[in-house]
Amino acid sequence: MIDFFNYVQNDWDNIFAYTMEHLQLVSLAIVIAILIGVPLGIYLTTNKYLAETVLQVASIILTIPSIALFGIMIPILSIINQGIGFLPALIALVLYSQLPIIRNTYTAIQNVDPNIRDAAKGIGMTTFQRLTRVEIPNGMPLIMAGIRTATVLNIGIGAIAAFIGSGGLGVLINSGISRGNSNMVLAGAVFVSLLALVADFILKFIQKRVTSPGVK
Amino acid sequence: MIDFKNVTKIYGGEVKAVDDITMSVNEGEFVILLGPSGCGKTTLLRMVNQLETITDGEINVNGQNVKEMDKIKMRRNIGYVIQSNGLFPNMTIEKNTMIVPDLLGWDRKKKRDRFNYLMDLIGLNPDEYRKRYPHELSGGQQQRIGVARAMASDPPVMLMDEPFGALDPIIREKVQDEFLTIQKEVKKTILFVSHDIDEAVKMGDKISLLRQGQIMQYASPTEMLHRPKNDFVSEFIGKDRVLRSMSLYTVNDLVEALGLKSKEEDIQDTKEITIDTSLRVALSMLLNKEADELLITDDQGEAHGSLTFDLIETFINREVRGA
């Protein structure tokens, strides 16, 4: 145990750099995933057939083991000389985040009380006003829950992306294993967990700020 | 104000929800669309603000065909209240109430004044409720807010779809009374869906009784209760229609109709009843044996004679049976 703390203390600069690298990768992936997933989830509420197909595809993506997904992307992205590194990791994380984000957004909008939707219509709101003033605000808790799930998921998978040279805390785990340095492995794992906890806590705070107190 | 001309609604090419309905609602009139579930009353209502499309025929509001109006604009100019109040959970009471003025782009001061006025009208303290959320209010209060929201931009026409249907009987009665008082002040043209004959008789200037998408009778409550047009109408309003019609009259109507005079003699075993009590209540009091005779008094406490079974019977014979 003392060994571990000594290790963390001595190697703090490295660990911190890896954590930041990890954070960068995951944050960028989540932002892109939200920009794709939320509008897509909203759009799908207007097309039930397409919704089923898209959600199924997103589910299938989530079942692909991450190592396999990285492997598939190496030959594809090699065409543009990006077979390994940041880009394939980013793409994989965006893909993995899609299911929780799309599904939760879709369900959130679908689940808005039909009476409320009817009232909004009858009062003379346009489709866009209904969406921004009624449907999204009332679906906010569920949409945010999807984003939180995706974030935590991504922080975990982000560690595996170190195998294809994306950097991040996975590097510690990786090299720890190959060098037989258990403290290094432990440090990687602990900081991945800490990162996930902190990120979830921050998102929870944001969720509270963006959700109306009238919506439980 | 609202004219239905051969209005028909067909679902899925075969089911006729509304079948060739022609009727008009005059300005300032309170008309009830009454009928059993599935009779097309809600569909008919929702066709007015185009929440349902019109298969055939036309509806004119204020002389203008609704099909030719801009949907969004016309809806903002028609008050709409639904059974489950439809308040937006994410908005405060003030935001909810002022949503239509908001959409219409009123300035802040005008909205605030209007909110204060409406809250006074429905009997809730504006400052106490302004910042609260719908879930913090009771069902009756929510429904009142729903009504206030529909009146926010002072629309001439209001559509109400069983607005008090989800309230418990005591609260419903109270909210109905309040709404009638408000209506006396604002004089809106109202189309009101109900399945409750008592509510219809109490609230409506006219009742349109529907069955399978067709009008069975369109008449004033008195007319309908006393002269039901066909078997369906008499069955729907019930065997106790005479009793029911008693709620349309007050003790005062009887006093005037029969020229009742105050008697000088002292009566034993009596109870006082105010002159604006409905005859139905008076009759129940007599039936309850609360007293053999009821002493009628007016606002000033002046006596107007006493009410007995015999007098009510005479009144019924004269007014109701037209004898």
Side-chain angles (χ1 to χ4, degrees):
Chain A
M1 210 48 188
I2 296 189
D3 275 3
F4 172 67
F5 284 116
N6 280 336
Y7 167 75
V8 170
Q9 211 167 19
N10 290 335
D11 220 9
W12 175 248
D13 286 347
N14 266 331
I15 295 173
F16 183 74
Y18 285 136
T19 309
M20 283 301 117
E21 217 170 31
H22 205 103
L23 192 63
Q24 225 170 23
L25 174 67
V26 173
S27 315
L28 189 60
I30 282 293
V31 169
I32 296 172
I34 291 172
L35 291 179
I36 300 171
V38 172
L40 188 57
I42 292 169
Y43 173 73
L44 290 180
T45 56
T46 62
N47 188 337
K48 212 178 165 197
Y49 176 75
L50 188 65
E52 271 170 35
T53 317
V54 170
L55 287 173
Q56 228 142 36
V57 171
S59 305
I60 291 168
I61 291 175
L62 201 58
T63 60
I64 302 174
S66 40
I67 293 277
L69 190 60
F70 293 137
I72 295 167
M73 269 189 303
I74 292 173
I76 299 173
L77 289 175
S78 288
I79 300 169
I80 52 165
N81 262 336
Q82 297 277 355
I84 55 166
F86 190 76
L87 189 65
L90 185 71
I91 293 174
L93 292 191
V94 169
L95 285 176
Y96 280 127
S97 332
Q98 288 308 296
L99 182 68
I101 293 178
I102 296 176
R103 189 169 54 198
N104 278 40
T105 307
Y106 174 77
T107 316
I109 303 294
Q110 284 264 289
N111 279 6
V112 169
D113 183 349
N115 287 313
I116 292 172
R117 189 174 287 131
D118 190 61
K121 238 187 200 176
I123 258 167
M125 285 192 191
T126 61
T127 313
F128 185 71
Q129 284 167 337
R130 229 162 56 218
L131 196 63
T132 53
R133 292 180 183 224
V134 178
E135 291 169 346
I136 293 178
N138 284 300
M140 201 46 113
L142 211 52
I143 296 174
M144 281 303 293
I147 292 173
R148 280 166 65 186
T149 309
T151 306
V152 173
L153 190 75
N154 269 358
I155 290 174
I157 296 172
I160 301 167
F163 279 110
I164 53 164
S166 72
L169 287 164
V171 175
L172 282 179
I173 299 173
N174 236 346
S175 29
I177 292 172
S178 47
R179 290 184 211 163
N181 183 341
S182 60
N183 283 330
M184 220 168 161
V185 177
L186 191 60
V190 166
F191 279 88
V192 165
S193 310
L194 279 179
L195 197 58
L197 284 175
V198 172
D200 195 50
F201 181 79
I202 292 170
L203 286 172
K204 200 173 170 180
F205 177 76
I206 294 175
Q207 178 177 346
K208 260 203 178 140
R209 292 299 298 272
V210 297
T211 309
S212 153
V215 181
K216 279 166 286 177
Chain B
M1 196 74 175
I2 311 174
D3 295 296
F4 297 88
K5 254 185 246 162
N6 309 102
V7 175
T8 301
K9 171 78 187 181
I10 300 170
Y11 282 115
E14 39 192 310
V15 189
K16 268 192 179 173
V18 171
D19 189 2
D20 195 24
I21 282 191
T22 301
M23 66 182 252
S24 23
V25 179
N26 298 323
E27 193 170 340
E29 235 174 13
F30 194 149
V31 171
I32 313 281
L33 296 174
L34 180 70
S37 50
C39 71
K41 53 193 194 299
T42 297
T43 310
L44 190 61
L45 183 89
R46 289 165 61 90
M47 279 153 91
V48 177
N49 64 357
Q50 297 190 78
L51 288 171
E52 298 282 354
T53 54
I54 302 164
T55 312
D56 210 4
E58 62 179 73
I59 300 175
N60 291 307
V61 176
N62 221 350
Q64 245 191 312
N65 188 340
V66 293
K67 267 190 189 166
E68 284 156 16
M69 287 190 245
D70 178 66
K71 268 187 203 173
I72 301 295
K73 259 194 198 155
M74 69 107 53
R75 283 176 189 157
R76 289 177 186 174
N77 208 24
I78 293 179
Y80 182 52
V81 189
I82 56 176
Q83 180 173 1
S84 59
N85 74 60
L87 296 182
F88 307 126
N90 58 312
M91 297 183 194
T92 60
I93 298 305
E94 184 173 24
K95 276 244 167 92
N96 259 297
T97 317
M98 288 299 113
I99 186 74
V100 178
D102 211 26
L103 296 173
L104 292 171
W106 288 18
D107 63 52
R108 191 174 294 200
K109 166 103 179 50
K110 198 172 165 196
K111 278 193 284 190
R112 178 147 292 211
D113 290 346
R114 184 71 185 159
F115 176 72
N116 293 344
Y117 167 78
L118 285 170
M119 291 299 274
D120 284 338
L121 195 65
I122 58 169
L124 296 173
N125 182 340
D127 292 320
E128 192 185 331
Y129 290 95
R130 193 186 307 278
K131 294 266 172 282
R132 293 173 85 175
Y133 286 90
H135 76 265
E136 299 171 302
L137 270 58
S138 72
Q141 288 169 335
Q142 288 183 14
Q143 207 54 53
R144 287 188 191 107
I145 300 293
V147 170
R149 180 174 69 180
M151 296 197 296
S153 65
D154 205 14
V157 176
M158 287 182 56
L159 306 176
M160 308 179 82
D161 191 358
E162 303 207 23
F164 312 131
L167 304 176
D168 68 68
I170 296 168
I171 302 291
R172 186 190 311 151
E173 196 97 349
K174 216 178 142 223
V175 179
Q176 282 171 346
D177 291 336
E178 282 171 8
F179 186 67
L180 279 177
T181 319
I182 293 171
Q183 166 63 359
K184 264 187 202 139
E185 194 178 321
V186 296
K187 284 266 161 249
K188 301 282 179 203
T189 306
I190 299 173
L191 212 51
F192 184 112
V193 166
S194 177
H195 63 259
D196 177 1
I197 174 76
D198 285 316
E199 182 174 62
V201 167
K202 178 178 175 180
M203 311 284 285
D205 295 326
K206 276 189 190 164
I207 299 173
S208 174
L209 183 57
L210 302 172
R211 184 179 72 156
Q212 290 169 2
Q214 292 177 320
I215 297 182
M216 294 290 107
Q217 186 168 7
Y218 182 38
S220 70
T222 0
E223 171 83 13
M224 190 173 284
L225 288 170
H226 298 160
R227 279 175 286 278
K229 217 168 153 188
N230 54 41
D231 289 347
F232 176 77
V233 179
S234 46
E235 199 183 313
F236 192 86
I237 58 186
K239 296 258 183 288
D240 53 349
R241 62 193 172 86
V242 173
L243 188 61
R244 205 157 252 157
S245 73
M246 288 295 95
S247 58
L248 289 169
Y249 301 101
T250 62
V251 175
N252 191 38
D253 294 328
L254 181 142
V255 170
E256 277 173 11
L258 301 182
L260 211 59
K261 291 269 164 11
S262 168
K263 285 182 280 181
E264 287 301 315
E265 76 234 58
D266 241 358
I267 320 151
Q268 295 290 308
D269 187 25
T270 176
K271 239 188 149 170
E272 281 190 13
I273 185 169
T274 52
I275 202 151
D276 54 1
T277 314
S278 87
L279 269 186
R280 192 167 174 172
V281 173
L283 192 60
S284 313
M285 285 170 79
L286 287 169
L287 286 169
N288 281 345
K289 296 271 176 226
E290 287 178 31
D292 293 332
E293 293 186 8
L294 297 169
L295 188 65
I296 306 164
T297 57
D298 63 16
D299 298 342
Q300 279 80 42
E302 222 168 291
H304 282 267
S306 52
L307 190 64
T308 59
F309 273 127
D310 292 344
L311 280 173
I312 291 179
E313 200 183 346
T314 320
F315 179 76
I316 290 174
N317 280 334
R318 268 182 53 167
E319 287 292 313
V320 181
R321 306 223 171 92

